[in-house]
Amino acid sequence: MPETSTSLFTRLRFILVETSRAGNSGSVARAMKTMGFSDLVLVNPRFADALADPEAIAFASGAQDVLEGARIVGDIGAALEGCNFAAAVSARLREFSPPVWTPRAFAGHVQAQADLRPAVVFGNERFGLPNQIVEQCNVLINIPANPDYSSLNLAQAAQVLAYECRVAALE
């Protein structure tokens, strides 16, 4: 499928907020590349050289181009620059949050709306996303998982979203 400026493959941005392990950034880059996505932004990662860290490069396993093209920014506003639809990804539901969607609903919506410049926002590995960031997003994506143990690894959550978006883009 040719990638144009309206293709979901070029419109969708993956944002990682305050990642604490460089390897997770590499793993997310790999998950993105396997599904055809490349726009990665890190917000205030724990290590300033997170994209060049040997662990990130090793975990990227062939997706070094995604790491090399990634940007590091200081806040969520800079990460969302150019985006007009943001989805917070969290296993934790909040009392006050935007509407809760599944990954499939999100993927279908952003694929069908060629004028959207969407972003999926993932939180820190230990604490998830702060409420202030969730409240700035249009929707909250909750991945339907085992209610007794619903915590996915950061790269696994990114893989689920990348997969659903790929399927929607190819239909």
Side-chain angles (χ1 to χ4, degrees):
M1 173 177 195
E3 292 184 18
T4 65
S5 63
T6 59
S7 168
L8 187 55
F9 294 107
T10 57
R11 291 185 290 123
L12 181 61
R13 179 175 300 160
F14 287 72
I15 299 173
L16 309 182
V17 177
E18 298 181 358
T19 50
S20 56
R21 295 284 314 257
N24 284 330
S25 300
S27 293
V28 169
R30 181 178 182 180
M32 291 171 58
K33 184 169 182 167
T34 62
M35 296 296 134
F37 299 98
S38 60
D39 189 357
L40 176 62
V41 176
L42 276 62
V43 176
N44 204 20
R46 183 173 174 199
F47 299 103
D49 64 344
L51 298 171
D53 186 281
E55 185 179 82
I57 293 167
F59 282 39
S61 187
Q64 285 83 356
D65 57 328
V66 175
L67 285 179
E68 289 166 4
R71 296 180 295 120
I72 294 178
V73 298
D75 60 52
I76 191 66
L80 288 170
E81 191 172 308
C83 294
N84 60 7
F85 191 82
V89 180
S90 180
R92 191 167 39 97
L93 299 176
R94 278 117 167 131
E95 184 177 354
F96 301 104
S97 83
V100 178
W101 288 9
T102 64
R104 189 161 297 162
F106 170 80
H109 180 77
V110 297
Q111 169 56 26
Q113 307 285 326
D115 60 328
L116 289 182
R117 302 286 305 172
V120 286
V121 184
F122 300 87
N124 173 281
E125 297 91 322
R126 292 188 60 213
F127 306 110
L129 284 170
N131 289 335
Q132 314 83 282
I133 291 178
V134 173
E135 291 165 3
Q136 292 179 52
C137 293
N138 301 90
V139 297
L140 175 67
I141 296 176
N142 184 263
I143 298 171
N146 177 358
D148 295 328
Y149 189 72
S150 61
S151 177
L152 277 83
N153 167 284
L154 175 58
Q156 292 168 336
Q159 186 75 67
V160 169
L161 267 295
Y163 169 79
E164 290 291 348
C165 289
R166 179 176 184 79
V167 169
L170 294 177
E171 285 182 346

